[in-house]
Amino acid sequence: MQISRTASRVTAAVAVAGATVLAVSVPAFAHVSVQPEGTAAKGGYATVDFKVPNERDNASTTKIEVNLPAEHPLASVMPQPVPGWSVKVTKSKLDKPLTMHGEKIGEAVTKVTWTADGKGIQPGYFQKFPLSLGALPEDTDQLVFKAIQTYSNKEVVRWIEVPQEGQDEPENPAPTLALSAATDDHHGTAAAAEGDAKGGDKDDAHQEAAADSDGGTDTTARVLGIVGIVIGVAGVAYGVLAGRRRTA
């Protein structure tokens, strides 16, 4: 009877272990996503990163195409160079011209395509593709970018399904950028850069003050050191004289 119970426990343990191994071995599939570097405020400018993972173990990603939302055209779209990739920016005419800094703009970037010059994104790796965007719209809480991922074996994955609030995430969700509340400064990145420059000036001033302070501290330390040596020598001399007097 005891042997039977022990065998049952061993069988149950093996079953649990097997289920655990299966659960761990099931891959967690990622998808193309977009995140801002910092904040993406309505009416401002932002740098965003499109994160592209390679979900295949037998092919590399050689091309990624990002389509910008036609319902919210962006007047300024600038890609950052990515080593090992060439980039193509496609512009299209707008049905309704945009006004930016008092000037009317009749066309806007509608698509950005990165193509690998070499092996591309290898299995087990991902790559970020940065874009500078602006001015971000003020009449929506998010921007949806439809992306198309191409593999070296000619497989194409379309990340174009728009997530719906209150529903499960679709199988191939489109990259979605959440927009934060508008700020007083609508220049975003430019203002941040200027702030960094001013901060740098302040930092330089603090460093100079610290250097002056360090210089003063060093001088004081040297003077105290010399005084200490003098006092030490005087003490030794006094000791020698006192010894001689006792001997005499």
Side-chain angles (χ1 to χ4, degrees), residues 7 13 22 34 37 51 60 66 72 77 82 84 100-101 112 152 174 194 212 226 232 237 242-243 245-246:
L22 288 175
V34 59
E37 296 182 3
K51 182 179 179 181
S60 59
V66 173
H72 297 291
V77 177
V82 178
M100 184 177 181
H101 302 306
V112 180
S152 57
E194 183 179 354
D212 292 340
I226 293 172
R245 289 176 181 175
R246 292 193 190 96

Side-chain angles (χ1 to χ4, degrees), residues 133-170:
L133 306 175
L136 299 175
E138 300 183 55
D139 57 351
T140 183
D141 294 328
Q142 64 179 23
L143 289 177
V144 178
F145 303 85
K146 296 183 178 182
I148 299 176
Q149 183 177 12
T150 303
Y151 287 89
S152 57
N153 59 2
K154 307 303 180 184
E155 178 187 3
V156 176
V157 181
R158 301 178 183 277
W159 304 97
I160 61 175
E161 300 178 56
V162 181
Q164 301 296 328
E165 187 176 355
Q167 298 183 12
D168 294 337
E169 184 179 72

Side-chain angles (χ1 to χ4, degrees), residues 7-129:
S8 298
R9 291 174 181 173
V10 171
T11 302
V14 171
V16 171
T20 302
V21 171
L22 288 175
V24 172
S25 63
V26 174
F29 293 105
H31 53 267
V32 177
S33 60
V34 59
Q35 290 293 333
E37 296 182 3
T39 59
K42 298 178 182 179
Y45 290 75
T47 297
V48 302
D49 294 325
F50 287 89
K51 182 179 179 181
V52 181
N54 191 335
E55 296 184 328
R56 303 294 181 262
D57 56 8
N58 59 350
S60 59
T61 296
T62 56
K63 184 179 179 181
I64 183 72
E65 175 184 308
V66 173
N67 293 275
L68 281 71
E71 65 275 17
H72 297 291
L74 300 170
S76 175
V77 177
M78 293 186 294
Q80 178 178 322
V82 178
W85 294 78
S86 59
V87 60
K88 179 182 178 182
V89 177
T90 302
K91 294 183 178 182
S92 300
K93 290 185 177 180
L94 299 175
D95 295 333
K96 183 180 180 180
L98 297 173
T99 301
M100 184 177 181
H101 302 306
E103 297 182 2
K104 287 188 176 182
I105 300 175
E107 63 177 11
V109 175
T110 54
K111 181 171 62 177
V112 180
T113 305
W114 289 271
T115 305
D117 296 329
K119 295 181 179 180
I121 308 173
Q122 298 295 298
Y125 291 86
F126 72 89
Q127 178 67 55
K128 288 184 179 181
F129 298 90

